[in-house]
Amino acid sequence: MEANNNNSARKRNTRNTGIDETLSLRDVLDTFVANWVWFLISVVICLAVARLYLATLSNVYQRQAVMLVKDDNGQGGARRSNISTDALMQLNGVLAGASVKNEVYILHSFQLAQEVARNLQLDVMYNVRSGLRNVSLYNNRPFTVNFITEFQVPANFMFTLDGKEGGTISEVKYGIPMEESDFTAKVEWGKAVKTPFGDFIASPNEDRLENFVGQSINVQRISQEDAAIMLFNKVTSSEIDKESTLVRITCTDTNIQRADDILSGLLDAYKRSIIDDKNQIAKSTSEFIEDRISLIHSELSEVEGKMAEFKQSSGLVDIKASSEAYIAQSSTARQRTVQAETQYSMIQYLVDYLTSNISGNNLIPTMGGISDTGIASQINNYNQLMLQRNRLAENTSENSPTIQDMDRNLEQMRTTVLASLKGYSSSLKLQVEKAKKEEAGLMGSLQSVPQKEKKVIDIARQQTIKETLYTYLLNKREETALQLAITEANIRVVEQPFGSRVPVSPRKMVIMMMAFILGILIPFLYFQLKKFFDVSVHGRKDIEKFTTIPILGEVPHSKSGILDSEIIVDGQKDEAIAEAFRMIRFNMPFINKDARVIMLTSTMPGEGKTFISGNFAATLGLTGKKVVLIDADIRKRTRSRLSAMESQHGLTSYLSGNVDDLNSLIVTKSKECNLDILPAGIVAPNPTELLMSNRLEQCIEELKKKYDYIIIDNVPAQVVADAGIVNRVADLTIYVLRETKVDRRYLPELERLHQEKKFNHLCIVINDSRIKSKKYGYGYGYGYGYGYGYGYGSDKKKKKSLWKKLFPRK
């Protein structure tokens, strides 16, 4: 039965051999309560650092504008797609329906950013120091610096305003990388200043100049490309939703006015680019019409000259009455011939134009007189795709896959249009020939009509064709001129730049909250890491976790220096340590109520075994019992040496048989405590053999006749075997563990000794326990009593001890 109990105890101990580092909520609370001062200091420091960090940051504001992208009919709102255009583009491998996305990209293109940066002169920046941060003087600067030389290297200098006459530049830095220069110069308003980084002219802003007299303003010049990159990074554009053509443009900047100006500049530049794109078709058509008008004008003049020359040479003034009937019959045929030849000439002009510009990126002139709607639609689709290609080419490389794909599509569309025009031209040619044959048949039937009249009719017909074509080209020229006069883009600004004047960055509350959390986290992690790497025993909790050995009591830590030989339990003091020994005395009967011989041992030297044994013996003596304290450390004789009994005879004299009268070896230590001491005696060469002799039992039995309690102060159990040898005469074994002195990994070994009953009625006394620091944890045994006058003094003394804890003297 006993063996089964031992086995179950070993299994329970095996489960506890690993160090359990599970962190519970109670452990967290204990860490906060026990070290609240350090948490408070950490939080205050982190909050102060965060506040200082915020003082160095400039406020960042967000502004936005909204525009509506209209379709070709000038309508906005929900997206509409041109069915014929989309179908044609999809047939040629081009994805349709992405026009708004293209406009979003172009709106946020680097080309527009460069134009806006150049117009707003963002390559020169003005800042003034305000506290720990730099404040931009974009719209509040007292002067303007205009560089009259091209950009060479970036520069940075301080401009100190001396008054209304000018100022002084100093602290010059320029170059890549920036290097300091000792260059200084006097600046007069309106006069050129020569510097190593470029010449400039400074102009004052009279209404703001007086507010900055005597101040130093930082002026920084960067390249326009870098300024465009900075602007590009500040601006974003996106679609508001998928069902509309509304586009939102957002700009973040440290200066509200500069952000608004950037948004307005982008919208204006974008409008100009749209208008320029629209005018490209009109310009191309205008050039074509001017060439045609010049040619037709010369041809018309030639026909009119022939008519006048023929009438003069033939004397023909009017058409004979005989030809009136023919004219009436052939008027319809002639009208069809004129129309057919007009269409044929126009189509032939377009064929010649496309043939001569077969590989170019020019637009196809739009001629409203083309009756074939399919060809007109093809030309319109080709021009729209060409415009889109040219706009994208401005923002990307000619070798871009998108551009190359569009070029291939354009080439196919151009070939298709040319083929359609040639086919249509052949059809018109057949119509012209047919009309001429019909007209010739009518003319042949008029045998009575003189040949001269037929010549007049032929010349008149040519004149009518030229006049009709000439009139048509004049009308198209006026229409094209009206298109060139259009200055409206297919967009509308729905919302001008707007936004809150509350900064979006830095997020002060978030940063302060993070600083607060960091202030709590830093000491918490420190204490947890310290606890993780600390494997020493810390009080009752660690012992109960890894052993089943009963704990007899805890002796609290003493701040004042107490000698190991000092007996502080003398009946006159009510110190906390004295109360701890009383608790040990009270708990002892629960371990072994009949115990009279009590042995004290420890793991290693320096755990306070001698101090515990002396004061525990005195505590027992204060109850009126007679107590003798035996110094069984016959190797080092710690108790005897500390009590100035090093040269006397003692235990070794009795064990060796040199002295038989045990009473002659006993020394009275304290009459008040009824405490006597049996010194260790002189050093023996064979301490183990002496302790193993039966005279040790004789010594104990003889002492029992005179004393109620026998306290044996023994050697550390893990250093020599003396403790195990002497334990055979002990009724109770007190194992002294000094807090933070013993490694927790030794506790399973101590449990094994307990389970194997290597020591009689083994129990533990924790020495140097920081009970006050654990009063919310496992220090409940004394936390109550000490708070009511057991040696810790008044509140004033507590405050003083806290101050000394924070700022200890070195």
Side-chain angles (χ1 to χ4, degrees):
M1 187 70 179
E2 184 178 357
N4 293 334
N5 292 336
N6 291 338
N7 291 333
S8 61
R10 288 192 184 96
K11 292 178 181 179
R12 182 170 63 255
N13 180 52
T14 302
R15 290 193 298 267
N16 291 329
T17 54
I19 298 177
D20 184 10
E21 294 295 337
T22 303
L23 188 64
S24 64
L25 180 60
R26 184 57 180 269
D27 294 332
V28 175
L29 294 177
D30 291 345
T31 303
F32 278 104
V33 173
N35 304 280
W36 67 270
V37 174
W38 299 112
F39 281 96
L40 178 61
I41 293 174
S42 177
V43 168
V44 171
I45 292 176
C46 288
L47 289 177
V49 172
R51 186 66 187 88
L52 185 64
Y53 171 70
L54 288 173
T56 63
L57 299 179
S58 299
N59 293 332
V60 177
Y61 304 89
Q62 187 178 78
R63 310 289 287 179
Q64 62 180 347
V66 179
M67 75 173 189
L68 174 68
V69 179
K70 303 177 184 179
D71 57 18
D72 294 337
N73 297 323
Q75 301 294 325
R79 292 186 180 177
R80 304 178 179 88
S81 60
N82 188 318
I83 298 177
S84 60
T85 303
D86 292 349
L88 181 60
M89 294 175 67
Q90 291 176 0
L91 287 174
N92 287 277
V94 179
L95 181 62
S99 59
V100 176
K101 292 184 178 180
N102 292 337
E103 302 305 318
V104 168
Y105 175 79
I106 295 174
L107 188 62
H108 188 215
S109 63
F110 186 71
Q111 179 185 4
L112 290 184
Q114 282 183 310
E115 183 178 349
V116 175
R118 181 172 58 253
N119 295 337
L120 297 180
Q121 297 181 349
L122 298 182
D123 56 331
V124 181
M125 295 174 286
Y126 309 84
N127 299 286
V128 66
R129 194 72 173 175
S130 177
L132 298 177
R133 70 181 65 172
N134 289 324
V135 178
S136 174
L137 297 179
Y138 168 76
N139 58 330
N140 194 34
R141 56 181 181 266
F143 60 88
T144 301
V145 174
N146 296 308
F147 284 88
I148 56 180
T149 56
E150 294 184 358
F151 175 83
Q152 298 176 353
V153 291
N156 192 326
F157 60 88
M158 300 300 295
F159 192 110
T160 304
L161 290 173
D162 298 335
K164 294 185 178 181
E165 295 77 15
T168 305
I169 62 173
S170 60
E171 301 181 22
V172 176
K173 298 179 182 178
Y174 66 93
I176 303 176
M178 285 277 191
E179 294 183 359
E180 294 185 2
S181 173
D182 56 357
F183 176 82
T184 59
K186 196 72 175 177
V187 179
E188 296 183 11
W189 303 128
K191 294 185 178 180
V193 180
K194 294 185 178 296
T195 67
F197 49 84
D199 302 343
F200 66 87
I201 297 175
S203 304
N205 298 328
E206 300 292 345
D207 53 341
R208 304 185 185 94
L209 189 61
E210 294 181 358
N211 299 330
F212 292 91
V213 173
Q215 296 190 31
S216 295
I217 298 174
N218 179 259
V219 180
Q220 183 179 5
R221 187 195 189 191
I222 58 177
S223 65
Q224 289 188 354
E225 182 178 358
D226 291 339
I229 292 174
M230 292 175 60
L231 187 151
F232 183 84
N233 294 330
K234 292 178 181 179
V235 177
T236 58
S237 59
S238 61
E239 301 173 81
I240 290 183
D241 56 56
K242 301 297 182 182
E243 301 300 327
S244 68
T245 59
L246 291 172
V247 178
R248 178 189 293 112
I249 316 132
T250 304
C251 179
T252 56
D253 200 295
T254 58
N255 188 281
I256 295 178
Q257 185 60 47
R258 181 165 56 194
D260 290 347
D261 290 348
I262 288 174
L263 292 177
S264 299
L266 283 173
L267 291 174
D268 293 340
Y270 180 72
K271 285 182 180 179
R272 288 193 297 269
S273 67
I274 295 296
I275 294 172
D276 292 342
D277 288 343
K278 283 191 171 184
N279 288 338
Q280 285 183 10
I281 297 178
K283 289 179 181 179
S284 177
T285 304
S286 177
E287 293 175 358
F288 173 78
I289 289 175
E290 291 295 335
D291 293 339
R292 295 298 97 189
I293 287 176
S294 178
L295 179 61
I296 297 301
H297 182 270
S298 62
E299 291 178 354
L300 182 60
S301 298
E302 183 180 353
V303 171
E304 290 176 347
K306 286 182 179 180
M307 176 65 77
E309 183 180 355
F310 179 78
K311 286 182 177 182
Q312 184 178 5
S313 62
S314 62
L316 183 62
V317 178
D318 195 5
I319 301 176
K320 294 179 181 181
S322 58
S323 63
E324 292 179 355
Y326 162 74
I327 295 174
Q329 295 176 3
S330 63
S331 60
T332 302
R334 185 170 64 252
Q335 185 177 2
R336 288 197 297 269
T337 303
V338 170
Q339 291 178 354
E341 288 186 345
T342 301
Q343 288 284 328
Y344 176 75
S345 299
M346 187 182 305
I347 296 301
Q348 194 61 38
Y349 292 154
L350 290 177
V351 170
D352 296 339
Y353 177 80
L354 286 178
T355 304
S356 60
N357 295 276
I358 191 64
S359 61
N361 294 327
N362 298 323
L363 301 170
I364 300 176
T366 56
M367 305 298 292
I370 299 176
S371 60
D372 192 328
T373 58
I375 296 177
S377 177
Q378 290 180 354
I379 294 175
N380 184 54
N381 293 337
Y382 176 88
N383 289 337
Q384 293 296 328
L385 188 59
M386 178 62 74
L387 280 177
Q388 185 177 359
R389 183 263 179 203
N390 292 338
R391 290 174 62 190
L392 292 178
E394 293 177 357
N395 295 282
T396 183
S397 173
E398 291 289 335
N399 296 325
S400 171
T402 302
I403 297 298
Q404 292 180 357
D405 291 339
M406 296 185 74
D407 287 342
R408 286 192 292 270
N409 292 334
L410 287 170
E411 184 177 357
Q412 294 176 3
M413 293 178 67
R414 188 163 51 241
T415 302
T416 303
V417 171
L418 182 59
S420 299
L421 289 174
K422 287 182 178 180
Y424 186 52
S425 176
S426 300
S427 176
L428 290 176
K429 185 177 181 180
L430 292 175
Q431 293 180 14
V432 170
E433 291 176 357
K434 182 179 179 180
K436 285 183 177 181
K437 287 181 179 180
E438 183 180 354
E439 187 178 0
L442 293 173
M443 293 295 293
S445 63
L446 299 177
Q447 297 295 329
S448 61
V449 179
Q451 293 295 324
K452 291 183 179 180
E453 186 177 358
K454 292 171 59 179
K455 183 67 173 178
V456 170
I457 294 173
D458 183 64
I459 296 174
R461 184 177 62 249
Q462 295 295 327
Q463 183 180 6
T464 303
I465 293 173
K466 301 299 181 182
E467 287 177 351
T468 303
L469 185 58
Y470 186 74
T471 302
Y472 171 77
L473 290 175
L474 290 177
N475 292 332
K476 292 301 297 182
R477 183 172 66 177
E478 293 301 319
E479 292 178 4
T480 305
L482 289 176
Q483 291 182 3
L484 288 172
I486 294 176
T487 57
E488 181 182 359
N490 61 338
I491 66 168
R492 180 169 68 89
V493 178
V494 179
E495 295 286 355
Q496 294 291 343
F498 72 97
S500 174
R501 292 187 175 271
V502 177
V504 296
S505 176
R507 302 176 66 181
K508 297 182 180 180
M509 292 302 299
V510 174
I511 293 177
M512 295 300 288
M513 182 59 66
M514 292 178 61
F516 178 80
I517 295 174
L518 188 62
I520 294 177
L521 192 60
I522 289 175
F524 180 76
L525 291 178
Y526 168 76
F527 289 120
Q528 290 304 314
L529 289 175
K530 182 180 179 182
K531 179 180 177 181
F532 178 78
F533 290 106
D534 185 5
V535 295
S536 59
V537 174
H538 289 276
R540 178 186 296 265
K541 181 178 180 180
D542 290 340
I543 296 173
E544 291 180 345
K545 183 184 297 184
F546 299 110
T547 70
T548 59
I549 304 172
I551 298 176
L552 197 59
E554 297 180 58
V555 179
H557 170 74
S558 176
K559 296 180 180 179
S560 59
I562 299 177
L563 300 177
D564 287 344
S565 61
E566 184 176 353
I567 303 298
I568 63 172
V569 186
D570 56 1
Q572 302 296 327
K573 301 178 181 178
D574 284 332
E575 295 286 349
I577 296 179
E579 182 64 23
F581 281 106
R582 296 188 188 100
M583 290 296 297
I584 295 173
R585 181 185 65 194
F586 174 78
N587 292 331
M588 185 180 67
F590 295 98
I591 307 299
N592 186 0
K593 63 180 181 178
D594 298 324
R596 295 181 60 191
V597 182
I598 303 165
M599 186 189 82
L600 283 87
T601 184
S602 63
T603 306
M604 62 185 69
E607 295 193 62
K609 174 174 51 60
T610 301
F611 173 74
I612 298 294
S613 62
N615 283 276
F616 179 59
T619 303
L620 293 174
L622 289 174
T623 62
K625 303 294 183 179
K626 295 189 66 175
V627 183
V628 61
L629 176 60
I630 301 177
D631 184 4
D633 186 0
I634 60 178
R635 298 175 183 271
K636 297 181 66 175
R637 301 172 298 163
T638 304
R639 165 62 62 181
S640 302
R641 187 174 67 256
L642 295 175
S643 301
M645 303 175 185
E646 187 175 0
S647 61
Q648 298 181 7
H649 291 285
L651 180 61
T652 56
S653 301
Y654 182 82
L655 295 179
S656 63
N658 294 331
V659 177
D660 292 329
D661 186 6
L662 191 59
N663 293 328
S664 63
L665 301 176
I666 296 175
V667 178
T668 300
K669 175 64 176 179
S670 173
K671 293 181 179 181
E672 296 179 356
C673 297
N674 296 321
L675 177 60
D676 294 336
I677 295 179
L678 177 58
I682 60 177
V683 178
N686 54 345
T688 303
E689 287 74 10
L690 290 179
L691 294 175
M692 292 178 64
S693 68
N694 57 3
R695 288 185 65 85
L696 179 62
E697 285 85 348
Q698 296 176 8
C699 174
I700 297 301
E701 291 299 326
E702 191 170 345
L703 291 175
K704 284 182 178 180
K705 298 175 182 178
K706 182 179 179 181
Y707 296 97
D708 297 308
Y709 291 102
I710 302 171
I711 309 299
I712 303 176
D713 184 4
N714 213 333
V715 297
Q718 299 300 315
V719 177
V720 292
D722 297 2
I725 296 173
V726 176
N727 188 254
R728 70 181 187 274
V729 298
D731 300 324
L732 179 69
T733 303
I734 297 177
Y735 202 98
V736 179
L737 284 176
R738 192 184 192 99
E739 190 169 311
T740 72
K741 183 75 173 178
V742 179
D743 196 320
R744 286 201 301 266
R745 292 169 291 185
Y746 169 70
L747 294 178
E749 177 64 19
L750 185 60
E751 173 67 12
R752 185 185 63 80
L753 296 177
H754 172 60
Q755 297 297 331
E756 294 177 357
K757 299 187 182 302
K758 297 293 184 180
F759 295 101
N760 297 327
H761 291 91
L762 181 64
C763 58
I764 293 175
V765 170
I766 303 173
N767 187 24
D768 200 23
S769 175
R770 269 67 171 179
I771 297 176
K772 184 179 180 182
S773 64
K774 301 192 291 292
K775 62 183 178 180
Y776 291 90
Y778 280 80
Y780 53 82
Y782 306 103
Y784 181 85
Y786 297 164
Y788 288 86
Y790 285 96
Y792 277 89
S794 63
D795 293 339
K796 184 176 180 181
K797 291 183 178 180
K798 290 182 181 179
K799 294 179 181 178
K800 183 177 181 181
S801 63
L802 178 60
W803 178 262
K804 289 183 178 180
K805 181 179 179 181
L806 293 176
F807 304 100
R809 294 181 179 178
K810 297 183 179 181

